[in-house]
Amino acid sequence: MEGVDHLADERNKAQFDVEEMKIVWAGSRHAFEVSDRISRLVASDPAFRKDNRTMLGRKELFKNTLRKAAHAWKRIIELRLSEEEASRLRFYVDEPAFTDLHWGMFVPAIKGQGTEEQQQKWVPLAYKMQIIGCYAQTELGHGSNVQGLETTATFDPQMDEFIIHSPTLTSSKWWPGGLGKVSTHAVVYARLITDGRDHGVHGFIVQLRSLDDHLPLPGITVGDIGMKFGNGAYNTMDNGVLRFDHVRIPRNQMLMRVSQVTREGKYMQSNVPRQLVYGTMVYVRQTIVADASNALSRAVCIATRYSAVRRQFGSQNGIETQVIDYKTQQARLFPLLASAYAFRFVGEWLKWLYMDVTQRLQANDFSTLPEAHACTAGLKSLTTSATADGIEECRKLCGGHGYLCSSGLPELFAVYVPACTYEGDNIVLLLQVARHLMKTLVQYRSNVLKAEDWLKPNVILEAFEARAARMSVACAQSLSKIDNPEEGFQELSADLVEAAAAHCQLIIVSKFIEKLQQDIPGKGVKQQLEILCNVYALFLLHKHLGDFISTGCITPKQASLANDQLRSLYSQVRLNAIALVDAFNYTDHFLGSVLGRYDGNVYPKLYEEAWKDPLNDSVVPDGYHEYVLPMLKQQLRSARL
Amino acid sequence: MEGVDHLADERNKAQFDVEEMKIVWAGSRHAFEVSDRISRLVASDPAFRKDNRTMLGRKELFKNTLRKAAHAWKRIIELRLSEEEASRLRFYVDEPAFTDLHWGMFVPAIKGQGTEEQQQKWVPLAYKMQIIGCYAQTELGHGSNVQGLETTATFDPQMDEFIIHSPTLTSSKWWPGGLGKVSTHAVVYARLITDGRDHGVHGFIVQLRSLDDHLPLPGITVGDIGMKFGNGAYNTMDNGVLRFDHVRIPRNQMLMRVSQVTREGKYMQSNVPRQLVYGTMVYVRQTIVADASNALSRAVCIATRYSAVRRQFGSQNGIETQVIDYKTQQARLFPLLASAYAFRFVGEWLKWLYMDVTQRLQANDFSTLPEAHACTAGLKSLTTSATADGIEECRKLCGGHGYLCSSGLPELFAVYVPACTYEGDNIVLLLQVARHLMKTLVQYRSNVLKAEDWLKPNVILEAFEARAARMSVACAQSLSKIDNPEEGFQELSADLVEAAAAHCQLIIVSKFIEKLQQDIPGKGVKQQLEILCNVYALFLLHKHLGDFISTGCITPKQASLANDQLRSLYSQVRLNAIALVDAFNYTDHFLGSVLGRYDGNVYPKLYEEAWKDPLNDSVVPDGYHEYVLPMLKQQLRSARL
């Protein structure tokens, strides 16, 4: 059976040019080419094997990650990879590691918040990995509320040093990735105190471990915070705990681009705009939106392929029906497929928005920052929640076998789900959007008369605009009835969250529609994207029907027409489903799923995989003689257990 | 800090008698007394420790489960526990094990499907655990569709034996718990073939392993199917794979209560009604609904307590706001608290329903069976989906720390979530309900004029009845327009699933309301339950607003009044939240969560827990010298990785 493509019939059904869709998905021909080349490089290197990951104990697992990180770095050097290529390589290695924080948080923090001088000193060391850094912000008692951090950095003018200290248990740094076991340095966030005055939270470069023997420096207590959700998953990362007992660092290790402490201990703001910090936030959150489309598309790819392989019930001519042909399966799976594409395109737009905002900031134009900040906050919230739920739904769509680690889906879920919490809790973020929203208002009523009307982009857009606007208006009206605005905001926060979500969904739908107004080459490619765009919009409309009808944007009859249209769209997606997930261009290595294999040869491989479990090392399990035999032989009374 | 109750203030706020609520939750004073005594027995026995479970490798973990199972059985014998007590003990040990299948599936299968003679032979052996059995039904290629199983049992009249055989790879038995490494016997489901005729799927008792050395008997290939979702979790169970190569068993090991094969090979039906099989299904599914309330209440208990401990933002008087005081937190958490109670009471009712059906079956009255069968199918689907989602929501409500295994929530989720798939996929089950529903129809419109009207049980009930009825009517009307009924059912299945869910939600709401019509003693107990009942109903109404409004059951204005009422109910729940979860009477051992500790002393214990991770055994991690040091010292080129 090896070499046979069990999904060939499915691929032959496709009505569009898959190769062209791959370019659309990747964003550009160049991006496709790099991703394609690097993903094959990783997949073909046995050092990057990951199929045994869920069976390893914590220590073994972690050691294995250290090995892979070193090997990845070695290959990056040997092949003289560009920054873009190196970053794709880490992406396709597909294993959370200390290097994520080193490159993704430590280096950017120094580049963003350090002075020229500080950058010249620290960045080259970090670029060569002569030091390894992490980002120590959150504390045991303080996550979302950064301004509530308790760690202190007290300036000692006599020694020209800061004293970093953890005054309470809850001030212990808690969660930073790469901190527990590997990082030699950290950017530590602490309350700056000079001359008895608290100037709020600032960043400091602190060395944690000796560069000779890796032992923690005096005054530093550091360790791993323990097992996290899932097998393999984020347990490859040494999320850490860190306590300071009056640790001294030179004054010039405070990151001083935005504010400074002088030799005399005077606290001063520089003329660099503080808004730069929000620019970084916009950057981080747009990468999170891009990651959402990566994670959701992987899960959808696995579930779609396996739904075409799996057969159940409905036996006609002796052969059972493919699960993907069931309408209930389509109604759950295809909206997720459409969501993966929708998130891709809104992510592309956010990337553009970030570049635009950055250019404006450099020209001292702060006008678009609040809007961009609210947008990225809301889209981060919406796309990560939908992706976490979507991965789990894909797992359920694979039936019982989705529960096996060899399906790849449990680990994908466990690795992905913290995205809903980190970089801003998703509900807190929507409340930020809501604050921004309580401003502009419109009136509107839909003109849909027949099901086909729901395929018109302007019809869809108008309905989403009206719904978002009216939900905001309703909130604003309710707020106006409560005297204390802040109390009102608290009291109505659940409604405000819903209005914010409606606003963000409008953005995603409108950016998908904008994408379709571009020139998209390739036979049938644009048509497929139009279908997916309609699926995404009408699925949301059905899911949030109460919003649309109760605000009078559409009538129950129009809702029913939308539902009819949705059913017919699903039939169109059905033919192209496999090709649409092939367009993600994922290697079997990256997918890491027996159920999602490109060739669809699922069952023999599942069977093969089972025997690799450590429990199958011996026919009679360890513990049989001590515990099972005495039970069977009624000799438990005398057994020592 | 030891011994201090950090939640004492919260407990003092309660407006009802918690001890009386514990009785209501347990179902009776007797049930409370047994649960309370046995849970303490388990919690105080160090052999049942489980806090290290998520750190163990698969082999160690499994051996540990064998030890606990043996110890549990030893204690059951030593203390001469009743069947009820023994079952509670296994519940509070709280670790999936082969014994679950032995007692929960193997023994009941023989008792339900075996003749008197067969029961006399096999049940005593199983009761003493002289044999250990499992339930081998599902196959690699066949889950939901039992009639599609491929394993064969061919009668050989010459030898008076059945030949059990796995004709294909996809016919391999796959998933049965306890099969992989422990069971000596199994009830195996196979196609019965006599004289070349296929009589469909029947059950057979097959010995798998030698009772002397535990080696698989000739012709039998058996092993574990590998790692499953989560740390610890279901990896304590040896879900197995099993293949037969022409394995012979005596004719009298076919379970012959309902149909038989004679010495001559003649296939015959007995006069025992086949409907008994559905009675068993009703039994199993009602236990699943009860389990849903167990699992959801655990998660809610943890999230509620930690929400009272955790403070974030809103610093007034220097102390931050308790997270439980945020309306967004309440709007997510309290409906789940209400759901836990709602599922409890509908589970109680299902238990009664099962007993009623059983008595009728014994009197040859099959009239209520279809209704009971549809009810349990639908409620199994609805409660397990809501519980799986609810546990994950509780985890998110704990912020980042919920992602740590020491929160107990990742494992609770991973252990619980298969309930959505086993014993009938939740969507397939709702389609069964829908088939049953396509019959009776009503007309109706709501009379709500003010927010308080939504507190009247009959108002709520009528709205839920009307919505369920109208959604069914709408489906029936759409169906009538399609010529081929079966095609129509397929085409409209997504709508039918929604109508079925509406019907099941009506049942849950109505059973909660019925419960409140009983005499419930204890100060304030009934009032609290009334509040929770209203929260549950109005939360569902808000969640499915589109259904209620588009079917004309309520107006947008009435929906808005319901929302106002819901907000005010949340404030009432707030005061009693901690006491309401205390009423579940869970020991800290059973909860297994640092965040959910009874005394609220979370942070010191989280800190303590972290250091137990194997990675913290050494200060410098294993792998540092091979992989990290060469990186830091720029000596990777020459390193062997």
Side-chain angles (χ1 to χ4, degrees):
Chain A
M1 303 290 266
E2 289 288 340
V4 173
D5 180 1
H6 296 255
L7 292 170
D9 281 352
E10 290 293 333
R11 296 192 165 105
N12 290 335
K13 284 181 195 159
Q15 298 162 307
F16 69 100
D17 184 337
V18 181
E19 296 306 313
E20 286 294 336
M21 187 67 93
K22 287 180 181 176
I23 310 293
V24 175
W25 176 262
S28 70
R29 192 164 295 275
H30 169 77
F32 167 76
E33 185 279 325
V34 173
S35 285
D36 187 62
R37 180 163 43 83
I38 301 290
S39 69
R40 285 166 201 273
L41 179 76
V42 172
S44 64
D45 188 337
F48 292 130
R49 222 190 113 173
K50 58 182 187 180
D51 56 340
N52 57 346
R53 190 161 56 192
T54 61
M55 297 173 213
L56 301 179
R58 183 83 204 275
K59 279 185 184 176
E60 240 182 320
L61 178 70
F62 187 70
K63 185 175 179 182
N64 197 40
T65 301
L66 296 182
R67 183 184 56 73
K68 283 190 195 179
H71 184 69
W73 186 231
K74 189 179 177 186
R75 296 299 287 155
I76 288 167
I77 297 167
E78 285 172 351
L79 299 169
R80 301 170 183 275
L81 297 188
S82 68
E83 267 197 60
E84 182 193 10
E85 290 167 328
S87 149
R88 294 316 285 166
L89 186 130
R90 281 190 291 271
F91 174 77
Y92 285 114
V93 166
D94 184 41
E95 186 158 306
F98 64 94
T99 44
D100 300 348
L101 287 301
H102 177 80
W103 294 108
M105 301 291 281
F106 181 71
V107 171
I110 295 173
K111 287 167 94 171
Q113 297 162 45
T115 60
E116 285 294 323
E117 208 179 33
Q118 289 176 318
Q119 293 188 41
Q120 275 168 24
K121 173 172 178 188
W122 295 100
V123 172
L125 291 171
Y127 262 63
K128 289 191 212 140
M129 297 206 84
Q130 290 178 293
I131 62 174
I132 298 171
C134 66
Y135 187 87
Q137 180 179 297
T138 52
E139 298 177 353
L140 185 53
H142 310 274
S144 302
N145 185 11
V146 176
Q147 294 313 318
L149 294 178
E150 294 181 80
T151 304
T152 52
T154 310
F155 184 62
D156 173 358
Q158 281 212 296
M159 304 294 291
D160 196 22
E161 289 173 340
F162 291 107
I163 304 164
I164 313 286
H165 187 60
S166 310
T168 61
L169 181 81
T170 46
S171 75
S172 309
K173 292 294 172 190
W174 191 270
W175 274 118
L179 167 64
K181 291 282 143 185
V182 178
S183 290
T184 60
H185 289 67
V187 169
V188 172
Y189 290 85
R191 315 196 73 79
L192 169 64
I193 296 172
T194 61
D195 203 15
R197 274 194 58 196
D198 183 332
H199 301 283
V201 174
H202 291 72
F204 301 83
I205 300 175
V206 184
Q207 183 172 352
L208 305 175
R209 290 179 168 95
S210 154
L211 288 171
D212 297 322
D213 59 12
H214 209 62
L215 291 177
L217 298 186
I220 285 176
T221 306
V222 61
D224 184 274
I225 58 168
M227 291 292 286
K228 290 146 291 187
F229 200 162
N231 332 67
Y234 248 95
N235 294 302
T236 57
M237 181 72 87
D238 54 332
N239 295 90
V241 48
L242 168 65
R243 288 176 64 83
F244 298 101
D245 182 4
H246 300 90
V247 172
R248 288 176 168 270
I249 59 169
R251 182 171 55 89
N252 67 9
Q253 287 180 211
M254 169 176 159
L255 290 170
M256 298 221 200
R257 184 165 181 208
V258 174
S259 40
Q260 289 138 31
V261 171
T262 65
R263 176 63 192 90
E264 296 73 34
K266 208 177 140 207
Y267 178 72
M268 294 168 56
Q269 300 284 344
S270 78
N271 53 5
V272 174
R274 296 188 68 86
Q275 286 88 340
L276 276 178
V277 180
Y278 293 97
T280 310
M281 239 185 224
V282 172
Y283 171 75
V284 172
R285 288 181 184 158
Q286 67 88 10
T287 65
I288 294 179
V289 173
D291 279 345
S293 76
N294 291 331
L296 184 56
S297 59
R298 276 173 79 167
V300 165
C301 182
I302 295 168
T304 304
R305 286 181 182 162
Y306 183 52
S307 294
V309 168
R310 185 178 173 210
R311 294 173 178 274
Q312 204 82 189
F313 289 111
S315 142
Q316 284 176 332
N317 333 322
I319 189 158
E320 292 177 297
T321 306
Q322 284 170 286
V323 170
I324 199 172
D325 281 326
Y326 288 104
K327 297 289 170 185
T328 47
Q329 191 83 356
Q330 296 178 6
R332 296 161 74 194
L333 180 59
F334 293 167
L336 297 174
L337 174 58
S339 301
Y341 277 91
F343 296 172
R344 195 69 173 181
F345 299 139
V346 82
E348 244 175 36
W349 171 73
L350 273 185
K351 200 170 165 185
W352 169 86
L353 186 71
Y354 166 69
M355 289 189 300
D356 183 65
V357 166
T358 311
Q359 282 173 359
R360 286 169 189 270
L361 285 181
Q362 277 157 0
N364 272 310
D365 169 5
F366 308 122
S367 60
T368 60
L369 188 59
E371 173 84 37
H373 185 247
C375 255
T376 45
L379 291 171
K380 182 274 179 185
S381 170
L382 221 75
T383 57
T384 56
S385 289
T387 296
D389 294 349
I391 295 169
E392 176 58 10
E393 184 75 356
C394 284
R395 197 187 61 68
K396 292 203 184 98
L397 285 167
C398 292
H401 299 348
Y403 190 63
L404 283 171
C405 288
S406 57
S407 78
L409 292 165
E411 194 177 12
L412 186 59
F413 179 76
V415 161
Y416 186 74
V417 82
C420 298
T421 308
Y422 63 56
E423 286 299 321
D425 174 271
N426 280 352
I427 298 297
V428 175
L429 289 176
L430 285 179
L431 285 172
Q432 291 178 9
V433 177
R435 282 193 192 274
H436 179 78
L437 269 184
M438 290 297 90
K439 284 166 190 167
T440 49
L441 319 165
V442 215
Q443 276 299 52
Y444 166 86
R445 186 175 292 272
S446 172
N447 294 316
V448 167
L449 294 172
K450 52 189 193 298
E452 295 75 45
D453 288 343
W454 279 118
L455 300 179
K456 299 177 188 161
N458 64 321
V459 167
I460 288 176
L461 209 50
E462 282 170 12
F464 275 80
E465 276 166 2
R467 166 212 182 204
R470 290 183 193 184
M471 288 175 77
S472 288
V473 171
C475 285
Q477 286 173 341
S478 303
L479 276 174
S480 70
K481 293 179 197 149
I482 303 176
D483 288 340
N484 180 330
E486 196 46 42
E487 254 172 41
F489 197 86
Q490 288 298 335
E491 180 64 26
L492 297 169
S493 54
D495 296 340
L496 285 159
V497 161
E498 291 179 3
H503 178 73
C504 295
Q505 287 169 353
L506 165 63
I507 296 175
I508 302 178
V509 169
S510 67
K511 295 306 159 189
F512 206 150
I513 289 174
E514 273 178 26
K515 175 80 189 179
L516 295 175
Q517 281 150 5
Q518 294 174 16
D519 183 34
I520 301 175
K523 173 184 157 266
V525 171
K526 192 176 213 164
Q527 286 87 324
Q528 289 307 315
L529 293 175
E530 280 165 356
I531 293 171
L532 291 175
C533 179
N534 287 324
V535 166
Y536 181 69
L538 296 183
F539 158 74
L540 282 182
L541 187 138
H542 182 68
K543 187 173 169 190
H544 301 280
L545 203 53
D547 295 355
F548 285 90
I549 300 183
S550 70
T551 53
C553 298
I554 65 169
T555 65
K557 174 67 190 159
Q558 290 170 332
S560 162
L561 292 174
N563 220 14
D564 293 346
Q565 191 54 59
L566 194 52
R567 276 204 305 276
S568 128
L569 287 166
Y570 288 154
S571 303
Q572 297 173 56
V573 176
R574 166 64 188 92
L575 293 175
N576 298 284
I578 297 298
L580 284 168
V581 302
D582 285 349
F584 303 148
N585 199 39
Y586 292 143
T587 62
D588 278 346
H589 171 273
F590 184 66
L591 275 186
S593 168
V594 174
L595 302 184
R597 292 171 60 90
Y598 181 84
D599 66 5
N601 189 27
V602 168
Y603 295 115
K605 294 295 173 181
L606 258 185
Y607 189 79
E608 211 177 294
E609 222 35 53
W611 298 101
K612 296 182 186 164
D613 192 90
L615 270 193
N616 291 325
D617 289 352
S618 63
V619 177
V620 174
D622 199 12
Y624 165 76
H625 290 97
E626 301 96 306
Y627 309 125
V628 181
L629 189 61
M631 202 187 276
L632 291 168
K633 299 298 177 200
Q634 316 292 298
Q635 293 162 342
L636 266 188
R637 276 169 209 272
S638 51
R640 277 204 55 189
L641 300 174
Chain B
M1 303 289 265
E2 290 287 343
V4 174
D5 180 2
H6 297 253
L7 292 171
D9 280 354
E10 290 293 335
R11 297 192 164 104
N12 289 334
K13 284 181 195 158
Q15 299 162 306
F16 69 99
D17 183 337
V18 181
E19 297 306 312
E20 286 294 335
M21 188 67 93
K22 288 181 180 174
I23 311 293
V24 175
W25 176 262
S28 71
R29 193 163 294 274
H30 168 78
F32 168 76
E33 186 279 325
V34 173
S35 285
D36 187 61
R37 179 163 43 82
I38 301 290
S39 69
R40 286 166 199 274
L41 178 77
V42 172
S44 64
D45 188 337
F48 292 130
R49 225 190 112 171
K50 59 182 186 178
D51 57 340
N52 58 346
R53 190 161 56 192
T54 61
M55 299 175 213
L56 301 178
R58 182 83 205 275
K59 278 184 184 176
E60 240 183 321
L61 178 70
F62 187 69
K63 185 175 179 183
N64 196 39
T65 301
L66 296 183
R67 182 185 56 71
K68 283 191 196 178
H71 184 70
W73 185 232
K74 189 180 177 187
R75 295 300 287 155
I76 289 167
I77 296 167
E78 285 171 352
L79 299 169
R80 298 170 186 276
L81 297 188
S82 68
E83 267 196 61
E84 182 192 11
E85 289 167 327
S87 148
R88 293 316 285 166
L89 185 130
R90 280 190 291 270
F91 174 75
Y92 285 113
V93 167
D94 185 40
E95 188 158 304
F98 64 93
T99 44
D100 300 349
L101 286 302
H102 177 81
W103 295 107
M105 299 292 280
F106 180 71
V107 171
I110 295 174
K111 285 166 92 172
Q113 296 162 46
T115 60
E116 285 294 323
E117 208 178 35
Q118 289 175 318
Q119 293 188 41
Q120 274 168 24
K121 172 172 177 188
W122 295 99
V123 172
L125 291 170
Y127 262 64
K128 289 192 212 142
M129 297 207 83
Q130 291 178 293
I131 62 174
I132 298 171
C134 66
Y135 188 87
Q137 181 179 299
T138 51
E139 298 176 354
L140 186 53
H142 310 273
S144 301
N145 184 12
V146 176
Q147 293 314 317
L149 294 177
E150 294 180 82
T151 304
T152 51
T154 310
F155 184 63
D156 173 359
Q158 281 211 299
M159 304 294 290
D160 196 22
E161 288 173 341
F162 290 107
I163 303 163
I164 313 286
H165 187 61
S166 310
T168 61
L169 180 81
T170 47
S171 75
S172 308
K173 292 295 173 189
W174 190 270
W175 274 117
L179 167 64
K181 291 283 142 183
V182 179
S183 290
T184 60
H185 290 67
V187 170
V188 172
Y189 289 85
R191 316 197 73 80
L192 169 63
I193 296 171
T194 60
D195 203 15
R197 273 195 59 197
D198 183 334
H199 301 283
V201 174
H202 291 72
F204 301 82
I205 300 175
V206 184
Q207 182 171 353
L208 305 175
R209 291 179 168 95
S210 154
L211 288 171
D212 296 323
D213 58 12
H214 209 61
L215 291 177
L217 298 186
I220 285 177
T221 306
V222 62
D224 185 274
I225 59 169
M227 291 291 285
K228 289 146 292 188
F229 200 162
N231 332 67
Y234 247 96
N235 295 302
T236 57
M237 180 71 87
D238 53 331
N239 295 91
V241 46
L242 168 65
R243 288 178 63 84
F244 298 101
D245 181 6
H246 301 91
V247 172
R248 288 176 169 269
I249 59 168
R251 182 171 54 89
N252 67 10
Q253 287 180 213
M254 169 176 161
L255 290 170
M256 298 218 199
R257 185 164 177 209
V258 174
S259 40
Q260 289 137 32
V261 171
T262 65
R263 176 63 192 89
E264 296 75 33
K266 207 175 140 209
Y267 179 71
M268 293 168 57
Q269 300 284 345
S270 78
N271 53 6
V272 175
R274 296 187 69 85
Q275 285 88 341
L276 276 179
V277 180
Y278 291 98
T280 310
M281 241 186 225
V282 171
Y283 171 75
V284 172
R285 289 182 182 159
Q286 67 87 12
T287 65
I288 293 178
V289 173
D291 280 344
S293 77
N294 291 330
L296 184 56
S297 60
R298 278 174 78 166
V300 165
C301 182
I302 294 168
T304 304
R305 287 181 182 162
Y306 183 52
S307 295
V309 169
R310 185 178 172 210
R311 294 172 178 275
Q312 205 82 190
F313 290 111
S315 143
Q316 287 176 330
N317 331 322
I319 188 158
E320 292 177 295
T321 306
Q322 285 172 285
V323 169
I324 198 172
D325 281 326
Y326 288 104
K327 297 290 169 184
T328 46
Q329 191 84 356
Q330 296 178 6
R332 294 161 76 192
L333 180 59
F334 293 167
L336 297 174
L337 173 58
S339 301
Y341 277 92
F343 296 171
R344 196 69 174 182
F345 299 139
V346 82
E348 243 175 36
W349 171 73
L350 273 185
K351 200 170 163 184
W352 169 86
L353 186 71
Y354 167 68
M355 290 189 301
D356 182 67
V357 165
T358 312
Q359 282 173 1
R360 286 170 190 269
L361 285 181
Q362 278 157 1
N364 272 313
D365 169 4
F366 308 120
S367 60
T368 60
L369 188 59
E371 173 84 38
H373 185 246
C375 256
T376 45
L379 291 171
K380 182 274 179 186
S381 170
L382 221 73
T383 57
T384 56
S385 289
T387 296
D389 294 349
I391 295 169
E392 176 59 9
E393 184 74 356
C394 284
R395 197 187 61 67
K396 293 202 183 98
L397 285 167
C398 291
H401 299 348
Y403 190 63
L404 283 171
C405 288
S406 56
S407 78
L409 291 164
E411 194 177 10
L412 187 57
F413 179 75
V415 161
Y416 185 75
V417 82
C420 297
T421 309
Y422 64 56
E423 286 299 322
D425 174 90
N426 279 353
I427 299 297
V428 175
L429 288 178
L430 284 179
L431 285 173
Q432 291 177 8
V433 177
R435 281 194 192 275
H436 179 77
L437 269 184
M438 291 295 92
K439 285 167 192 169
T440 49
L441 320 164
V442 214
Q443 277 299 52
Y444 166 86
R445 185 175 291 271
S446 173
N447 293 317
V448 167
L449 294 173
K450 51 188 193 299
E452 296 74 46
D453 288 343
W454 278 118
L455 300 179
K456 298 177 188 159
N458 65 320
V459 167
I460 288 176
L461 210 50
E462 281 170 12
F464 275 81
E465 276 167 2
R467 166 211 182 204
R470 289 184 193 182
M471 288 175 75
S472 287
V473 171
C475 284
Q477 286 171 341
S478 303
L479 276 175
S480 70
K481 293 179 197 148
I482 302 176
D483 287 341
N484 180 330
E486 197 45 43
E487 256 172 39
F489 197 86
Q490 288 299 335
E491 181 64 25
L492 297 169
S493 54
D495 296 341
L496 285 159
V497 162
E498 291 179 3
H503 178 72
C504 295
Q505 286 169 352
L506 165 63
I507 295 175
I508 302 178
V509 169
S510 68
K511 295 306 159 190
F512 205 151
I513 289 174
E514 272 179 26
K515 176 80 189 180
L516 295 175
Q517 282 152 2
Q518 293 174 16
D519 183 33
I520 301 175
K523 173 184 157 266
V525 170
K526 191 176 215 164
Q527 286 85 326
Q528 289 306 315
L529 293 175
E530 279 164 357
I531 293 171
L532 291 175
C533 180
N534 287 324
V535 166
Y536 182 69
L538 295 183
F539 157 75
L540 282 183
L541 187 139
H542 182 68
K543 186 173 170 192
H544 300 280
L545 203 54
D547 295 355
F548 284 92
I549 300 183
S550 70
T551 53
C553 297
I554 66 169
T555 66
K557 174 69 190 155
Q558 290 171 331
S560 162
L561 292 173
N563 222 13
D564 293 346
Q565 191 53 62
L566 194 52
R567 277 203 304 275
S568 128
L569 287 166
Y570 288 155
S571 304
Q572 298 174 55
V573 175
R574 166 64 188 92
L575 293 175
N576 299 283
I578 298 297
L580 283 168
V581 301
D582 284 350
F584 303 147
N585 199 42
Y586 292 142
T587 63
D588 279 346
H589 171 273
F590 183 66
L591 274 186
S593 168
V594 174
L595 302 184
R597 292 171 60 90
Y598 182 84
D599 67 5
N601 188 28
V602 169
Y603 295 116
K605 294 295 174 181
L606 258 185
Y607 189 80
E608 209 178 294
E609 220 38 50
W611 298 101
K612 296 183 186 163
D613 192 272
L615 271 193
N616 291 325
D617 289 351
S618 62
V619 176
V620 174
D622 198 13
Y624 165 75
H625 289 97
E626 301 97 308
Y627 310 124
V628 181
L629 188 60
M631 201 187 277
L632 291 167
K633 298 298 176 198
Q634 316 292 298
Q635 294 163 343
L636 264 188
R637 276 168 208 273
S638 51
R640 276 204 55 188
L641 301 175

